[in-house]
Amino acid sequence: MSESNKAKLNERMEKIVSLCKRRGFIFQSSEIYGGINGFWDYGPLGAELKRNVKDFWWRCMTVYRDDVVGLDASIIMHPRTWEASGHTSTFSDPMVDCLLTRKRLRLDQIDPQTGTAYSYLGAVDRDLFFEFQEQNPGSKLIEAFELHSDDGILKPRPGTDTAQTVENLMSSLDLTCNTAYSVLIPDGERSDQARKIARKYYQLRGITRPLLIDEQTEHVENSTRYNPENGSLLTEPREFNLMFKTYVGPVESEDNIAYLRPETAQAIFAQFKTVLEVSRQKLPFGICQIGKAFRNEINPRNFTFRSREFEQMELEFFIKPDEIAAKSEADSNASPDTPQPNWGWKQWHEYWVEERIRWYESVGLTRDSLDVYWQPAEELAHYAQATVDILYKFPFGTQELEGIAARGNFDLTQHQEFSGKSMEYFDEEAKTRYVPHVIEPSAGVDRLILAIICQAYREEEIINEKGKKEIRNVMQFHPRIAPIKVAVFPLLKNRRELVMKAKEVRDLLRPYMQVFYDDAGAIGRRYRRQDEAGTPFCVTIDFETLGETPELLDTVTVRDRDTMKQDRIHTRELAEFLQKRFR
RNA sequence: GCGGGUGUAGCUUAGUGGUAAAGCUCCAGCCUUCCAAGCUGGCUACGAGGGUUCGAUUCCCUUCACCCGCUCCA
């Protein structure tokens, strides 16, 4: 991507963020206190938008399907849950940084190194050292060191108090660094490599031509203190725990530590048997849930995209193991995308990928704004058989909205093991017991809202009545999820009959949809305000409505956000006319 | 977490070691017979905390937030 194109996209993102704030879609959390990194609030329009999106997902799962039921579980669960799921161990990794390249590594992924460690006490600038030597001939301080000029090493002479001597030298010269550093050189490799790396290290700390101070060597075995790539010393390991910790009960003790869930999925697994029992479902079937989740992200970025508190829409769709499913018979008359009893996990996985893409289209994300990424085998998590990411092309990059993972029976098996409770399903048809497998479409609500906002944002250049160019900002939300469905205006505010009639129309529509009444300012201004809010329809009550032309009595104009064209509709048909367009 | 940048009203920008300016938005009123018209009036800001100073929005330090790059992302 070119720099200018990148700048343009960044500018677009800034405008979107600005509009979100100006119109009340998204605010920074705790703004009056200076904000808090990784947390965001939804304003009036944002709250409606988010609610519409979640409601629609929920309806698509539980109302329009027979094979999915809902769950609304608690955020805090028994801590053992997270041991079973693997989160407490894999979510807190000790991390180290390379002192030379600043690259961050996971301690557990470092291959232990064996070789010779070369340690230095610090470095001084070569030019300054010689200058000092010239200006102070015979100085005791200089005499205390032996210069190995071939290697560029200042070695304290035997018998001197090394620490004190080095400190004295440091305080006499300007360009010094007294940070100790070491490099590990594998057995059989050249030792001058260590000095080269050490010099580079001190150069990064501002010493142009470093003379290394002291050089001690030590044989080291199976150490993870050094970067395998370059031998450089690493920082002390630091814990990166992504779980939000809290205490259950008013006393803070080790015994009552609990965690805010990092995903909603585990509650579904933990309640699998109870839901199965009460819902009278048979495999294959799914349990879905919408709810908050919390992750202590190392670095929240990109507006709401990576937040520490966020919301998920997750489905765990339980299926039969392939060998059981294969015994069932398919309906030969069914169309190819209709689920069949003999489908294996691969077919179910592909089915859900396609279902989810279609769903994104139905909320206004076009197929060409999305990307689908099949994770290659080497990237897969240990539990996953296959994972597909659905990504959206955000102005700041193409990023994940949803992951659809085929997780085998990993989760249920883990919970069975950790809880000691059976997670097996008795298959009446096959007359056998087994732990079901699962396909998990897991979507981030806040990411989706951001994608929807980015997708909807339009700047239209239009020529006004005076022939002047101006920009019309319009949020082209799919009517189905638009925060306000219809705005109702009296053409003029200072005609009582128009105002009364407009309020009547508002009340007429209110039971069916989000309505917004506005009578302030010129009619054009009111239209434009609704354009920025993404309201798909504006209804205006004018003198025809009141009967100026008898045959137009009780008709209103309905203005379309995207075309700015108007239809004249009788109030009797208005609610249905509108509803048809956003159902 | 590292490096770089930014922070003045709801938004976009001026500006200054000595009373902080404008445009748009917003609110009220007038006017207005369909796309940000006009007139009158009004609200609202130097991110926070220290320091230097008679006096700091301005200079210094710390901190917070945001943006960019790296890093990280079960």
Side-chain angles (χ1 to χ4, degrees):
Chain A
M1 195 186 296
S2 75
E3 281 304 312
S4 71
N5 194 15
K6 223 169 174 177
K8 217 178 261 172
L9 287 172
N10 188 33
E11 193 187 321
R12 177 180 169 84
M13 196 59 216
E14 275 173 20
K15 282 183 185 165
I16 290 170
V17 172
S18 168
L19 184 136
C20 281
K21 195 176 174 188
R22 176 156 41 90
R23 283 294 170 195
F25 284 99
I26 298 170
F27 305 121
Q28 209 177 355
S29 166
S30 323
E31 213 180 349
I32 58 168
Y33 293 105
I36 176 166
N37 192 256
F39 299 90
W40 302 90
D41 294 345
Y42 288 85
L45 290 180
E48 288 292 345
L49 176 64
K50 192 175 179 185
R51 182 175 284 274
N52 288 345
V53 169
K54 287 193 291 180
D55 282 354
F56 183 60
W57 184 89
W58 188 260
R59 285 210 316 276
C60 288
M61 288 297 172
T62 65
V63 179
Y64 293 123
R65 303 185 66 102
D66 292 326
D67 56 358
V68 175
V69 294
L71 179 72
D72 189 343
S74 68
I75 286 172
I76 293 174
M77 297 177 67
H78 193 289
R80 289 273 285 165
T81 309
W82 310 111
E83 286 172 37
S85 69
H87 284 88
T88 29
S89 52
T90 57
F91 236 47
S92 62
D93 298 319
M95 306 287 282
V96 291
D97 295 336
C98 173
L99 285 168
L100 190 67
T101 60
R102 299 210 186 277
K103 193 174 172 165
R104 176 163 295 156
L105 305 159
R106 271 170 60 171
L107 188 61
D108 62 309
Q109 289 179 350
I110 295 174
D111 286 333
Q113 305 288 299
T114 297
T116 307
Y118 291 75
S119 308
Y120 306 93
L121 289 173
V124 298
D125 187 76
R126 178 187 284 263
D127 295 344
L128 281 181
F129 179 79
F130 287 132
E131 202 178 294
F132 183 81
Q133 193 178 33
E134 238 170 65
Q135 285 166 3
N136 304 277
S139 153
K140 271 189 188 162
L141 187 55
I142 297 292
E143 294 294 307
F145 289 97
E146 204 177 342
L147 175 64
H148 296 229
S149 49
D150 292 349
D151 311 329
I153 289 171
L154 279 177
K155 187 112 185 126
R157 287 182 198 280
T160 54
D161 176 350
T162 307
Q164 190 58 48
T165 315
V166 169
E167 202 191 311
N168 291 347
L169 182 67
M170 293 289 172
S171 53
S172 309
L173 296 176
D174 287 336
L175 266 180
T176 65
C177 178
N178 64 353
T179 315
Y181 180 68
S182 54
V183 182
L184 184 83
I185 299 296
D187 293 332
E189 285 191 30
R190 293 160 55 113
S191 61
D192 58 353
Q193 184 64 17
R195 294 167 193 147
K196 211 165 139 188
I197 293 200
R199 269 183 224 115
K200 217 187 260 176
Y201 169 80
Y202 289 111
Q203 273 166 357
L204 285 173
R205 271 141 197 86
I207 302 173
T208 326
R209 306 186 59 200
L211 280 179
L212 303 171
I213 301 175
D214 207 2
E215 181 180 78
Q216 303 286 338
T217 57
E218 186 193 357
H219 187 73
V220 171
E221 277 191 32
N222 294 324
S223 170
T224 52
R225 300 277 298 116
Y226 300 89
N227 186 346
E229 272 178 37
N230 55 21
S232 170
L233 185 69
L234 301 163
T235 56
E236 291 292 324
R238 278 171 300 186
E239 282 287 323
F240 274 65
N241 192 340
L242 268 53
M243 296 277 277
F244 265 92
K245 203 181 270 185
T246 189
Y247 299 91
V248 172
V251 180
E252 290 186 14
S253 81
E254 284 288 311
D255 302 335
N256 55 18
I257 286 177
Y259 301 94
L260 308 191
R261 65 182 176 202
E263 63 174 30
T264 63
Q266 294 307 321
I268 296 179
F269 294 124
Q271 294 288 17
F272 167 70
K273 284 297 280 254
T274 31
V275 173
L276 176 68
E277 207 162 288
V278 299
S279 63
R280 300 176 54 232
Q281 288 282 349
K282 288 190 178 63
L283 246 53
F285 83 103
I287 304 173
C288 71
Q289 174 164 224
I290 299 177
K292 288 276 177 109
F294 303 81
R295 297 179 193 188
N296 249 326
E297 294 289 351
I298 296 171
N299 195 356
R301 273 287 167 93
N302 290 327
F303 200 29
T304 56
F305 183 81
R306 176 166 295 140
S307 302
R308 292 195 163 117
E309 174 178 339
F310 58 100
E311 206 155 6
Q312 293 182 307
M313 304 187 294
E314 291 194 297
L315 167 68
E316 302 300 332
F317 195 79
F318 299 98
I319 56 173
K320 302 180 181 190
D322 280 11
E323 62 275 18
I324 307 286
K327 290 176 190 157
S328 303
E329 274 191 30
D331 175 357
S332 51
N333 295 324
S335 72
D337 21 329
T338 310
Q340 291 299 315
N342 67 340
W343 274 10
W345 70 265
K346 279 187 179 155
Q347 279 153 307
W348 275 113
H349 189 228
E350 278 167 27
Y351 164 83
W352 277 110
V353 171
E354 192 50 39
E355 277 291 293
R356 296 301 303 141
I357 292 171
R358 269 209 289 267
W359 188 84
Y360 284 116
E361 287 181 297
S362 73
V363 291
L365 302 185
T366 55
R367 209 167 265 243
D368 67 342
S369 72
L370 299 169
D371 225 335
V372 179
Y373 178 72
W374 290 76
Q375 287 188 11
E378 62 270 22
E379 271 180 38
L380 291 177
H382 59 285
Y383 50 75
Q385 294 170 313
T387 299
V388 171
D389 293 336
I390 298 177
L391 308 102
Y392 176 75
K393 294 167 185 164
F394 287 100
F396 50 80
T398 301
Q399 301 269 3
E400 184 183 343
L401 290 181
E402 170 160 348
I404 301 159
R407 297 173 68 103
N409 62 4
F410 173 81
D411 302 274
L412 287 180
T413 306
Q414 283 292 107
H415 285 295
Q416 180 167 276
E417 194 178 303
F418 276 70
S419 68
K421 303 287 191 308
S422 166
M423 289 292 165
E424 282 180 334
Y425 169 82
F426 182 70
D427 193 316
E428 301 273 0
E429 198 188 338
K431 305 279 182 243
T432 182
R433 279 178 195 285
Y434 51 80
V435 177
H437 289 226
V438 73
I439 307 290
E440 177 193 87
S442 168
V445 181
D446 307 84
R447 291 175 171 196
L448 172 57
I449 298 300
L450 188 57
I452 285 172
I453 287 173
C454 291
Q455 181 75 9
Y457 183 81
R458 289 271 187 300
E459 287 173 2
E460 275 178 17
E461 222 174 57
I462 58 170
I463 311 289
N464 68 14
E465 283 178 323
K466 293 173 189 160
K468 255 177 61 185
K469 262 193 209 169
E470 55 178 28
I471 301 287
R472 181 172 85 113
N473 272 342
V474 49
M475 295 299 275
Q476 294 190 324
F477 294 125
H478 192 293
R480 164 179 292 147
I481 52 159
I484 301 170
K485 304 297 187 214
V486 59
V488 178
F489 310 142
L491 182 60
L492 297 174
K493 183 190 186 179
N494 59 0
R495 300 299 167 86
R496 198 161 161 271
E497 322 82 75
L498 288 176
V499 171
M500 302 252 298
K501 189 70 190 171
K503 287 184 175 168
E504 256 175 52
V505 172
R506 172 198 63 189
D507 294 340
L508 173 79
L509 297 176
R510 195 132 58 183
Y512 307 104
M513 61 196 82
Q514 292 108 322
V515 193
F516 185 84
Y517 173 85
D518 191 5
D519 59 17
I523 188 81
R525 174 178 294 267
R526 283 177 264 160
Y527 284 143
R528 293 302 175 79
R529 268 200 284 253
Q530 293 308 313
D531 288 342
E532 269 202 342
T535 307
F537 306 105
C538 291
V539 166
T540 299
I541 284 69
D542 60 10
F543 293 93
E544 308 292 1
T545 317
L546 300 177
E548 200 171 78
T549 312
E551 58 270 30
L552 293 179
L553 179 71
D554 276 337
T555 63
V556 296
T557 62
V558 178
R559 180 252 197 192
D560 181 274
R561 174 195 64 199
D562 302 336
T563 62
M564 296 196 278
K565 297 256 161 56
Q566 294 181 319
D567 283 324
R568 209 155 185 110
I569 308 289
H570 199 280
T571 50
R572 193 192 312 126
E573 293 149 11
L574 189 56
E576 208 202 323
F577 175 89
L578 294 169
Q579 270 181 306
K580 249 194 230 159
R581 283 160 176 75
F582 56 71
R583 216 173 254 145

